[in-house]
């Protein structure tokens, strides 16, 4: 199954780089062009520094401006991806697995320290007063 | 209260206010915390007023209650007390 964000639902006018219709079976071309999955949260992927190879438009079809004349055929520009935090890893986006989940309890207003004591302790709230109690290591 | 004690109380109250503001960011409708914030603010203002009349400005950027003069330049510099 293809997740929704792999489907290129941008209109052709908004598209920054030429993209070609891709099937799920064309795995090497999956990261070509600015698919919406690119902008999702993610990690660096292993193909970060490689130019992804776009499919060559050697077959006239409904999506390509190629008219059959090979000498005038416009080759698509290779798209280089730069490392950034907006690069998703294929496996993470493919299976939609969360990296981690955090949970914490809502704080309730109870008794508070006196201001002077709070300044000593570093917090106004006794429930947040968690001093480091591990024994000191000697050098 | 000596000026030093007042200064310490002012620092402590401002710290408490900072903590209360952080709490109120997440619980804006907590009346107990808001009341505490308001009483702290009132005490802080009164203390600052007193302290300003005694020794001068608490913060150089604030206006003096006495009439807006910049009289911290007239107060002793650290080397004057040596």
């Amino acid at each position: 199954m293809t997740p929704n964000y792999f489907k290129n639902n941008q209109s052709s006018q908004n598209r920054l780089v030429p993209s070609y219709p891709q099937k799920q079976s064309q795995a090497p071309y999956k990261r070509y062009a600015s698919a919406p999955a690119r902008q999702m949260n993610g990690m660096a992927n292993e193909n970060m520094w490689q130019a992804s190879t776009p499919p060559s438009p050697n077959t006239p079809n409904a999506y390509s401006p190629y008219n059959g004349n090979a000498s005038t055929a416009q080759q698509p520009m290779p798209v280089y991806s730069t490392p950034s935090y907006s690069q998703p890893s294929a496996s993470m986006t493919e299976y939609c697995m969360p990296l981690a989940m955090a949970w914490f309890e809502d704080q309730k207003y109870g008794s508070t320290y006196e201001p002077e004591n709070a300044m000593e302790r570093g917090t106004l709230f006794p429930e947040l007063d968690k001093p480091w109690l591990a024994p000191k290591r000697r050098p | 209260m000596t000026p030093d004690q007042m200064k310490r109380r002012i620092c402590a109250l401002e710290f408490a206010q900072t903590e209360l503001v952080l709490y109120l960011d997440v619980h804006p409708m907590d009346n107990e915390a808001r009341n505490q914030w308001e009483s702290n603010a009132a005490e802080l203002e009164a203390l600052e007023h007193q302290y300003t009349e005694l020794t001068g400005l608490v913060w150089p950027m604030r206006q003096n209650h006495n009439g807006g003069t910049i009289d911290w330049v007239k107060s002793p510099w650290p080397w004057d007390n040596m």
Side-chain angles (χ1 to χ4, degrees), chain A residues 79-92:
Chain A
V79 180
Y80 290 91
S81 43
T82 51
S84 81
Y85 290 110
S86 58
Q87 299 275 341
S89 108
S91 60
M92 277 302 160

Side-chain angles (χ1 to χ4, degrees), chain A residues 106-107 116 120 123-124, chain B residues 8-9 15 19 23 27 30:
Chain A
D106 194 21
Q107 190 187 354
E116 283 87 354
E120 292 284 332
T123 176
L124 186 66
Chain B
R8 187 160 175 77
R9 180 73 183 162
F15 176 73
E19 288 278 283
Y23 178 84
H27 307 82
D30 194 318

Side-chain angles (χ1 to χ4, degrees), chain A residues 35-82:
Chain A
R38 271 278 159 99
Q39 277 98 48
M40 297 196 55
N41 58 345
M43 311 142 49
N45 62 49
E46 67 276 12
N47 290 340
M48 235 163 39
W49 292 104
Q50 295 171 4
S52 45
T53 321
S56 104
N58 51 7
T59 320
N61 58 49
Y63 304 96
S64 162
Y66 181 57
N67 57 4
N69 186 354
S71 61
T72 60
Q74 196 182 4
Q75 290 299 315
M77 280 174 66
V79 180
Y80 290 91
S81 43
T82 51

Side-chain angles (χ1 to χ4, degrees), chain B residues 33-60:
Chain B
R34 283 162 71 148
N35 291 341
Q36 187 61 50
W37 189 90
E38 274 164 24
S39 73
N40 278 3
E43 190 188 343
L44 195 53
E45 198 184 344
L47 253 184
E48 277 192 18
H49 194 110
Q50 268 186 44
Y51 185 82
T52 306
E53 289 195 339
L54 272 177
T55 63
L57 288 177
V58 184
W59 305 109

